[in-house]
Amino acid sequence: MTASHSETPSTKPDASTFISDHRQVDRSKLSQMYLHYVETKDKYPHAMLLYRVGDFFECYFQDAVKLAQELELVLTSKQAGEQGRVAMSGVPHHAWERYATMLVEKGYAVVICDQVEDAAEATGRLVRREVTRVLTPGTLLQEGMLKSSRNNYLAAVVIAANHWGLAYADISTGEFLTAQGSDLEHLTQELMRLQPSEVLVPTNAPDLGSLLRPGETSPHLPECLPPAFCYSLRSQFPFSQGEARPRLLQKFKLRSLEGLGCDHLPLAVRAAGGLLEYLEDTQKENPVSLQRLRTYTVTDYLIVDSQTRRNLEITQTVRDGTYHGSLLWALDRTSTAMGGRALRRWLLQPLIDIKGIRARQDTIEELMENTPLRQDLRQLLRQIYDLERLTGRAGSGTANARDLAALADSLSRLPELSHLVADTRSPFLKALQKVPSILEELAQKLHAHLVESPPIHIKEGGLIRPGVNSLLDDRKATVEADQQWIANLEVDERAKTGIPTLKVGFNKTFGYYISISRAKADQVPANYIRKQTLTNEERYITPDLKEREARILTARDDLNQLEYEIFTALREEVAEQAEVIRNLSRAVAAADVLCGLAELAVQQGYCRPEMLPGREINIVDGRHPVVEQSLPAGFFVPNSTQLGRDEEAESENVSASSSPTPDLIILTGPNASGKSCYLRQVGLIQLMAQIGSFVPARFARLGICDRIFTRVGAVDDLATGQSTFMVEMNETANILNHATSRSLVLLDEIGRGTATFDGLSIAWAVAEYIAVEIRARTIFATHYHELNELASILPNVANYQVTVKELPDQIIFLHQVQPGGADKSYGIEAGRLAGLPAVVIQRAKQVMGQIEKHSKIAMGLQNLDVD
Ligand SMILES: Nc1ncnc2c1ncn2[C@@H]1O[C@H](COP(=O)(O)OP(=O)(O)OP(=O)(O)O)[C@@H](O)[C@H]1O
């Protein structure tokens, strides 16, 4: 790709022939414009400065070199006064957003220094230029720069010893939240959940203002911050209590922070205040409209750590990181962009509050029962655009007329929506029953003011309907009359002069002119003034023509300006209603998610799980929500699960159950029989239930979990230089240190990355510790059959196996999970089926026979004291 505009070099430029570091120039020798550039650059040493010059945005010095490299543009040079030539590279002004997006995606901050007056007004002096935007990964607003399916979060962290404050905002939707905690692991997990595009960190670093791109490190970055994100190093000052608190009070026009719920959380306040200051600093002429700050507590939600999110493939698959094949993919039946983002948020932050879960379930149930309502609702929702982001753009003054027209169309659907849900009883539908009348009025006003399909540019007129503003109509009428006069001129002048070939034309240099062939030049009337001579024609103007032209041009400018003013006033009216629109968009998004989940539940035959405060996990005929959808209908084999021993209930009701419910299941079975699938199915059903969804099962009764942990076949973590075994041990340690009796733990093989006896010993000890000390509900899939002995020692351990049918020359996978431990391993059989030579298979059987004969592990362990 190349985008060069001037002075394209004929050969590759020799860097020694021009200056490529702005700090090395003698400023007294720079021409005025370059001096202004250099002074602006001083204020933003770490950002890429795009400087408007005519129809281009140009970069000079080191930025020119970087821009050319990163975007594969031509690097050239330009004379910068007596100082000589400086490196230069640039992009066309109309395409700046595209190029800026590419730079931001590569982890750069981009400063836009634009011309803020018409170059024609600045005769004899430098055109006035100002920094109008600072774009960073966390502060993007433009439609093309954002993914509609996910939030774009800017986060800010404040860490003091083991305590932390975290604030985050999505400036495109206005969401703004803050939290505080005392466990740094929770902070890391929150960041992993949010996947922020940029994180602000207050430091004493000498390179303040710089942006560390993902993977770049700095000694000033606290260790608990994952290296996968962009970090902006900020000064400590705006993050101090004395600065942050008043900034928040002023922003939300409050006397106390009590109403925001963070009055007693100094670190949360400091993070939120620091974030606000950054927005003020970067957004310049487009102040961000944020929703009221909300305070939350991490432990108010089901905690799903990043490794579990990855292993359960919640938003993307492990194998290739794609959305297709993830849980989100399998569940998403939403109709709006807002609903899609909300479902993603819900999946990443499931609830632990039973009331909240039941409210969502009630709504799904009502929508399942009422098919016409569900279908009409989905149909209508499809016609609602991204209200959250459209409002965001209106609030920050970046919305164009098409945005407002789309907003008006969407707002005008709301009364229909409220009519549709008029008789509903569940909370999320009732929330849509009342549309504030102000929004209906706003939609009507926008429709009445804006033309049917407005143009994209807002300063070139053509936006406002006739009848809106009498001054505008008068001016339009004058322009039209003058235009008509010019249109008639050709006919009139032909008649007057008797020259039938006379024409009236227009060009940019001379404006309107009368053209006459040279042969007829002697018949030209006296009032014609010759302006230009061409080979075959002469061009003239007349005083009358010029007067009309001048009138048209000034009137058109005035007209455009007036239309622009009417438009911006409309945009401000929308901005004033931002809070009301956003509250409603949130309700629309939630209804959309629930309507999609209801549709899914009907399509896939899901059931409503009964949610309880206890520890029970009782799933009858459960299915894996993703694998099920990938197989032909009816192919997936359902399996049941019972976990979570409630000793009190069981002792009261001894006769009801002959074998007590286990806390820990040892799951064995041949390779590829379905162990991993079963394990994940239980985790996914629990997680789905805690977002309020129905679940793929015939029946489910589920106690609320506080955390879900998974440990699944590790891969070498080359980035941190850790071996498979060390990754496995770190993950296991994390589980043992944090799981509680209310957690769900899913272990897919432990100890495989080391010698067999080491591995088996660790696996045994881990299982025993979980069953005896932690009592977390656990499924432990393993190839170590020796672990089946645990069930005979510990009352809350049970053995299950995935069954296969053995035929003389093949194994048939039944994918059925049944009580009991597999009494033999099929590893050698699997090797035979894979085509290992017969002699190797034979030898392997002999070796196994010997090992089994001499192994005392099983017998020995039975006698171990586990107390
Ligand atoms: N209940 C089921 N019904 C139908 N097909 C299933 C079922 N469970 C698993 N499968 C199919 O079997 C394949 C293998 O399953 P899975 O990976 O869970 O086996 P595994 O026992 O964990 O194997 P390994 O021990 O080698 O890791 C899956 O890809 C899936 O397509």
Side-chain angles (χ1 to χ4, degrees):
M1 175 201 350
T2 55
S4 108
H5 53 289
S6 58
E7 305 183 38
T8 306
S10 51
T11 53
K12 209 170 182 316
D14 172 3
S16 63
T17 60
F18 53 71
I19 305 165
S20 53
D21 186 341
H22 84 284
R23 290 159 305 190
Q24 286 171 1
V25 289
D26 177 349
R27 297 186 179 200
S28 65
K29 289 188 179 161
L30 283 176
S31 61
Q32 244 186 330
M33 188 188 85
Y34 291 92
L35 182 61
H36 180 248
Y37 177 89
V38 168
E39 284 170 356
T40 313
K41 180 72 195 163
D42 283 344
K43 293 185 198 142
Y44 300 95
H46 300 291
M48 200 85 103
L49 174 58
L50 296 187
Y51 193 80
R52 176 79 180 265
V53 181
D55 285 342
F56 286 83
F57 274 104
E58 298 187 340
C59 284
Y60 307 112
F61 305 103
Q62 60 271 46
D63 283 3
V65 178
K66 241 188 276 172
L67 182 78
Q69 268 169 4
E70 292 287 1
L71 303 186
E72 295 176 39
L73 303 175
V74 174
L75 177 66
T76 178
S77 64
K78 225 173 165 181
Q79 192 69 28
E82 290 169 39
Q83 176 63 75
R85 298 189 80 78
V86 300
M88 192 276 280
S89 174
V91 299
H93 85 100
H94 56 80
W96 76 266
E97 283 187 10
R98 187 157 56 87
Y99 289 102
T101 309
M102 289 195 262
L103 288 172
V104 171
E105 276 172 1
K106 286 171 181 274
Y108 288 101
V110 178
V111 173
I112 304 294
C113 185
D114 206 348
Q115 290 175 187
V116 289
E117 65 177 350
D118 196 337
E121 285 168 27
T123 37
R125 63 178 171 81
L126 198 61
V127 183
R128 231 163 20 90
R129 294 181 176 87
E130 278 172 20
V131 170
T132 51
R133 292 283 309 268
V134 180
L135 299 163
T136 67
T139 57
L140 299 180
L141 263 174
Q142 265 77 1
E143 193 182 3
M145 297 180 172
L146 296 167
K147 289 200 176 75
S148 66
S149 60
R150 53 184 301 171
N151 284 100
N152 188 52
Y153 289 126
L154 168 71
V157 297
V158 174
I159 296 172
N162 277 335
H163 292 66
W164 55 267
L166 165 73
Y168 66 87
D170 178 342
I171 67 165
S172 67
T173 64
E175 212 179 315
F176 186 25
L177 289 102
T178 192
Q180 181 171 321
S182 55
D183 180 344
L184 289 182
E185 198 239 351
H186 283 167
L187 172 64
T188 313
Q189 294 303 345
E190 270 303 270
L191 289 171
M192 295 302 281
R193 172 179 74 84
L194 295 166
Q195 295 286 309
S197 302
E198 184 179 355
V199 186
L200 312 176
V201 187
T203 71
N204 293 320
D207 50 352
L208 281 182
S210 65
L211 191 63
L212 302 177
R213 297 155 71 194
E216 280 181 356
T217 52
S218 154
H220 301 280
L221 221 51
E223 255 179 35
C224 63
L225 300 179
F229 306 121
C230 261
Y231 290 97
S232 262
L233 304 184
R234 306 292 295 167
S235 128
Q236 301 269 12
F237 185 60
F239 288 85
S240 63
Q241 184 77 358
E243 274 292 302
R245 194 181 176 83
R247 181 165 272 116
L248 283 174
L249 291 174
Q250 195 193 2
K251 171 82 185 174
F252 296 107
K253 301 190 176 60
L254 296 169
R255 288 226 201 102
S256 134
L257 294 178
E258 224 165 293
L260 301 181
C262 56
D263 200 26
H264 58 297
L265 303 173
L267 298 180
V269 168
R270 285 171 55 192
L275 189 146
L276 272 187
E277 187 270 345
Y278 185 68
L279 290 181
E280 285 164 17
D281 194 30
T282 53
Q283 297 308 294
K284 308 284 173 196
E285 61 171 25
N286 300 314
V288 170
S289 87
L290 289 177
Q291 294 172 28
R292 231 169 123 95
L293 180 67
R294 282 189 290 141
T295 306
Y296 73 104
T297 309
V298 176
T299 46
D300 283 349
Y301 297 90
L302 168 67
I303 300 178
V304 182
D305 55 44
S306 54
Q307 138 204 339
T308 300
R309 208 173 296 126
R310 180 175 169 278
N311 292 336
L312 293 182
E313 305 190 303
I314 294 178
T315 56
Q316 59 183 53
T317 59
V318 172
R319 184 189 287 258
D320 44 17
T322 53
Y323 160 75
H324 189 271
S326 65
L327 179 67
L328 181 58
W329 164 80
L331 303 194
D332 193 355
R333 303 285 191 278
T334 56
S335 308
T336 67
M338 299 172 284
R341 287 195 298 272
L343 175 62
R344 170 186 275 268
R345 280 198 304 272
W346 287 17
L347 278 175
L348 295 176
Q349 202 176 34
L351 308 176
I352 53 173
D353 166 40
I354 292 193
K355 257 184 60 210
I357 295 173
R358 287 188 186 144
R360 291 181 183 180
Q361 289 181 336
D362 288 344
T363 310
I364 294 177
E365 193 164 281
E366 185 170 2
L367 286 164
M368 284 173 78
E369 284 164 1
N370 191 341
T371 303
L373 169 67
R374 188 176 74 247
Q375 283 170 352
D376 290 350
L377 206 53
R378 297 189 75 219
Q379 179 74 20
L380 192 58
L381 286 167
R382 275 187 217 117
Q383 298 166 48
I384 296 183
Y385 297 102
D386 198 338
L387 281 172
E388 279 179 336
R389 283 195 169 155
L390 289 170
T391 314
R393 288 208 285 279
S396 63
T398 54
N400 61 30
R402 285 192 191 168
D403 290 333
L404 292 202
L407 189 102
D409 283 348
S410 307
L411 290 180
S412 58
R413 303 268 171 244
L414 297 178
E416 239 177 295
L417 195 64
S418 73
H419 180 67
L420 210 56
V421 297
D423 300 324
T424 53
R425 47 181 201 279
S426 49
F428 285 89
L429 298 178
K430 278 169 103 170
L432 296 176
Q433 281 170 355
K434 262 213 161 72
V435 177
S437 57
I438 185 93
L439 295 188
E440 278 183 59
E441 288 157 22
L442 186 62
Q444 279 163 7
K445 183 160 187 187
L446 290 172
H447 275 138
H449 278 60
L450 293 171
V451 296
E452 188 82 24
S453 314
I456 218 154
H457 295 291
I458 50 175
K459 291 191 172 169
E460 292 168 16
L463 313 170
I464 308 296
R465 285 184 195 269
V468 166
N469 179 300
S470 54
L471 187 57
L472 186 68
D473 292 346
D474 286 351
R475 284 190 184 165
K476 270 189 187 160
T478 317
V479 170
E480 274 161 23
D482 285 335
Q483 273 170 335
Q484 195 52 50
W485 183 87
I486 289 176
N488 294 339
L489 188 66
E490 200 170 272
V491 180
D492 294 349
E493 291 299 302
R494 277 182 188 175
K496 259 194 232 162
T497 58
I499 306 173
T501 50
L502 178 150
K503 281 191 189 123
V504 173
F506 179 85
N507 77 21
K508 272 195 178 163
T509 330
F510 297 114
Y512 289 100
Y513 56 82
I514 300 169
S515 156
I516 290 176
S517 67
R518 293 190 65 182
K520 303 277 181 189
D522 53 344
Q523 295 176 26
V524 159
N527 65 332
Y528 278 30
I529 305 161
R530 195 164 65 211
K531 261 314 218 199
Q532 200 183 14
T533 303
L534 304 178
T535 327
N536 294 323
E537 63 176 287
E538 297 282 358
R539 289 179 173 176
Y540 302 88
I541 54 169
T542 68
D544 261 6
L545 179 59
K546 282 295 124 179
E547 196 190 314
R548 297 278 177 167
E549 179 188 294
R551 252 180 22 204
I552 290 177
L553 293 182
T554 28
R556 207 180 277 153
D557 280 351
D558 290 352
L559 205 76
N560 293 350
Q561 179 59 27
L562 188 54
E563 286 214 27
Y564 177 69
E565 282 164 16
I566 297 172
F567 170 76
T568 48
L570 279 178
R571 193 164 63 185
E572 276 158 30
E573 272 188 56
V574 173
E576 278 163 26
Q577 301 308 325
E579 178 104 14
V580 187
I581 302 177
R582 278 174 165 162
N583 285 342
L584 213 92
S585 334
R586 267 212 300 274
V588 171
D592 186 19
V593 174
L594 294 165
C595 206
L597 289 175
E599 179 70 16
L600 174 79
V602 172
Q603 282 173 3
Q604 299 294 123
Y606 288 0
C607 76
R608 175 178 177 152
E610 190 184 333
M611 303 306 289
L612 305 163
R615 297 178 64 247
E616 181 175 358
I617 293 181
N618 182 0
I619 301 167
V620 178
D621 288 347
R623 284 122 48 203
H624 189 297
V626 185
V627 176
E628 177 186 39
Q629 284 189 40
S630 321
L631 293 176
F635 269 60
F636 193 89
V637 181
N639 280 301
S640 301
T641 311
Q642 272 211 309
L643 270 177
R645 195 177 156 89
D646 190 341
E647 267 153 12
E648 264 174 47
E650 279 175 7
S651 61
E652 279 170 20
N653 196 8
V654 183
S655 59
S657 152
S658 50
S659 57
T661 313
D663 287 324
L664 187 145
I665 288 175
I666 300 287
L667 182 68
T668 47
N671 295 97
S673 57
K675 297 185 297 297
S676 309
C677 187
Y678 177 72
L679 201 87
R680 287 182 168 92
Q681 158 185 319
V682 176
L684 291 174
I685 287 178
Q686 182 71 38
L687 187 130
M688 284 170 69
Q690 290 195 228
I691 70 160
S693 170
F694 282 26
V695 297
R698 196 152 57 77
F699 168 86
R701 198 162 53 221
L702 302 168
I704 297 288
C705 274
D706 60 353
R707 289 183 75 145
I708 300 180
F709 291 95
T710 57
R711 218 226 62 74
V712 166
V715 281
D716 278 337
D717 191 347
L718 294 177
T720 58
Q722 292 194 78
S723 72
T724 310
F725 185 64
M726 280 316 291
V727 172
E728 192 178 313
M729 287 301 104
N730 284 338
E731 290 181 2
T732 309
N734 176 46
I735 297 174
L736 300 188
N737 292 330
H738 293 100
T740 72
S741 65
R742 309 228 155 242
S743 307
L744 174 62
V745 178
L746 305 168
L747 302 172
D748 197 352
E749 205 64 86
I750 287 187
R752 269 214 293 212
T754 184
T756 310
F757 294 125
D758 277 9
L760 172 57
S761 317
I762 292 175
W764 181 285
V766 166
E768 204 173 77
Y769 185 78
I770 293 177
V772 177
E773 300 295 332
I774 304 176
R775 295 186 56 235
R777 281 83 46 89
T778 305
I779 303 178
F780 191 159
T782 180
H783 286 283
Y784 294 131
H785 298 132
E786 292 82 352
L787 294 187
N788 284 146
E789 290 299 323
L790 268 170
S792 57
I793 306 168
L794 299 172
N796 62 342
V797 176
N799 293 328
Y800 279 79
Q801 59 177 323
V802 193
T803 53
V804 290
K805 192 165 164 190
E806 258 185 289
L807 296 179
D809 55 351
Q810 64 167 328
I811 297 173
I812 297 177
F813 293 106
L814 301 175
H815 302 304
Q816 263 165 7
V817 177
Q818 286 183 352
D823 53 358
K824 64 181 267 199
S825 160
Y826 292 84
I828 296 179
E829 194 53 27
R832 190 180 69 76
L833 291 174
L836 290 185
V839 41
V840 173
I841 295 294
Q842 192 53 35
R843 183 64 183 143
K845 283 182 178 165
Q846 274 175 0
V847 173
M848 192 169 79
Q850 286 301 309
I851 292 175
E852 279 180 351
K853 214 183 322 168
H854 293 107
S855 168
K856 300 273 187 296
I857 305 169
M859 283 179 298
L861 287 174
Q862 220 167 351
N863 301 326
L864 275 182
D865 180 7
V866 294
D867 292 329

